[in-house]
Amino acid sequence: MKVLIVEDDPLHRSYLLEAVCAALPECDKVIEAGNGVEGERLARDHKSAHVVMDLQMNARNGIEAARTIWKERPDTRILFWSNYSDEAYVRGVSRIVPDGAAYGYVLKSASDERLRLALRSIFVEAQCVIDREVRGMQQKSLGQVRGFSDSEYEILVDIALGLTDRTIARRRGLSIRSVQNRLQQLYEKLDVYQMSVEDSDEGRFNLRARAVTVALLRKLLNYSALERAEAELAEWLRSH
């Protein structure tokens, strides 16, 4: 058995190495990657390797890396090991998991024994292991956001960031009309009245729209998820 560890923190990577060796005596090779890009490359080079993946990393996050790995090898068993259980990550993982895949989502706050049990359950017994707190967020997401689709959720985040219709369309690869139709559906679901605000051809932020919606949306979206969304937006703005 081969296991690939994808973790950008050297101390956490060392801890995972010890955990893998303790939980999986049948593992004869452990490969280490310091970011998602390197993880994708090593997963490609070591086709039979199972993967332990951090979610928040520089260069490429765990969701993006796992999406690529699963696209190339859908039977890969992946354990996501993360500090975060908020909705953005829970939804991100849920929408990329291939049908029938054995995977896990364990928090870094979990005990040593919990992590070792998850490693054996996923990599040896092909079971799915999801921490209770993550399961709770999945259920909370369905209750609070009232069944929003992933595309609606993404635009909901864009609204909370204060983006104009035109910028949302550019960022998501949609027509302005499609964005406006989705926004109208969201307003109806949320029972929110949206002020009429003209989008400037150059403006990227609709400040009055932000003032109307952010207070409500911050109650629906985990605050740390919005902080990371703002960081991702900053990266997108730099490249566009």
Side-chain angles (χ1 to χ4, degrees):
M1 178 191 295
K2 292 187 289 186
V3 174
L4 168 61
I5 296 172
V6 187
E7 166 63 67
D8 60 352
D9 185 304
L11 290 178
H12 286 173
R13 204 161 57 241
S14 176
Y15 171 76
L16 283 175
L17 175 60
E18 293 180 4
V20 167
C21 292
L24 303 168
E26 53 268 77
C27 176
D28 52 19
K29 187 176 184 62
V30 179
I31 311 105
E32 299 181 39
N35 59 59
V37 174
E38 187 180 5
E40 290 177 12
R41 178 180 62 80
L42 290 174
R44 195 173 294 120
D45 292 343
H46 300 272
K47 292 184 172 60
S48 62
H50 303 316
V51 181
V52 185
M53 180 91 71
D54 188 15
L55 281 175
Q56 188 175 24
M57 296 181 287
N58 294 322
R60 189 181 302 277
N61 67 42
I63 291 175
E64 293 168 341
R67 180 190 288 114
T68 299
I69 292 170
W70 267 328
K71 183 177 180 181
E72 297 178 1
R73 192 162 54 95
D75 61 341
T76 304
R77 299 174 189 177
I78 299 179
L79 169 58
F80 296 100
W81 189 60
S82 175
N83 281 319
Y84 305 102
S85 62
D86 58 68
E87 185 172 354
Y89 279 135
V90 171
R91 276 180 172 260
V93 169
S94 296
R95 68 170 177 255
I96 65 170
V97 178
D99 290 339
Y103 80 103
Y105 194 138
V106 173
L107 297 177
K108 291 184 178 181
S109 58
S111 67
D112 295 353
E113 184 59 30
R114 172 64 173 165
L115 175 59
R116 292 172 186 174
L117 178 61
L119 287 166
R120 288 206 64 80
S121 297
I122 298 163
F123 295 161
V124 176
E125 301 172 12
Q127 297 178 0
C128 290
V129 178
I130 311 297
D131 267 2
R132 182 177 301 176
E133 186 173 340
V134 177
R135 289 281 189 197
M137 178 53 69
Q138 289 175 332
Q139 296 170 359
K140 182 179 179 182
S141 170
L142 291 175
Q144 284 190 328
V145 191
R146 296 159 62 183
F148 288 163
S149 67
D150 290 329
S151 61
E152 287 176 329
Y153 179 79
E154 289 175 346
I155 290 184
L156 187 67
V157 172
D158 288 342
I159 298 170
L161 293 173
L163 300 187
T164 63
D165 295 0
R166 193 178 302 278
T167 305
I168 294 173
R170 286 183 57 206
R171 188 183 188 203
R172 301 300 178 185
L174 301 169
S175 69
I176 293 178
R177 176 65 64 186
S178 294
V179 170
Q180 291 172 340
N181 287 340
R182 293 186 187 184
L183 288 173
Q184 186 58 45
Q185 293 171 0
L186 284 171
Y187 298 148
E188 290 173 0
K189 285 186 176 182
L190 289 168
D191 194 23
V192 171
Y193 173 72
Q194 174 67 13
M195 293 172 62
S196 176
V197 181
E198 293 184 0
D199 274 353
S200 163
D201 286 342
E202 299 298 325
R204 285 176 164 174
F205 292 94
N206 185 326
L207 297 180
R208 282 181 288 170
R210 185 181 181 110
V212 169
T213 59
V214 163
L216 172 62
L217 295 176
R218 285 198 185 279
K219 295 179 182 178
L220 296 176
L221 302 176
N222 183 282
Y223 186 83
S224 61
L226 286 179
E227 287 185 321
R228 279 191 295 282
E230 287 176 334
E232 291 171 0
L233 172 62
E235 181 65 29
W236 181 83
L237 291 173
R238 283 194 290 270
S239 62
H240 291 76

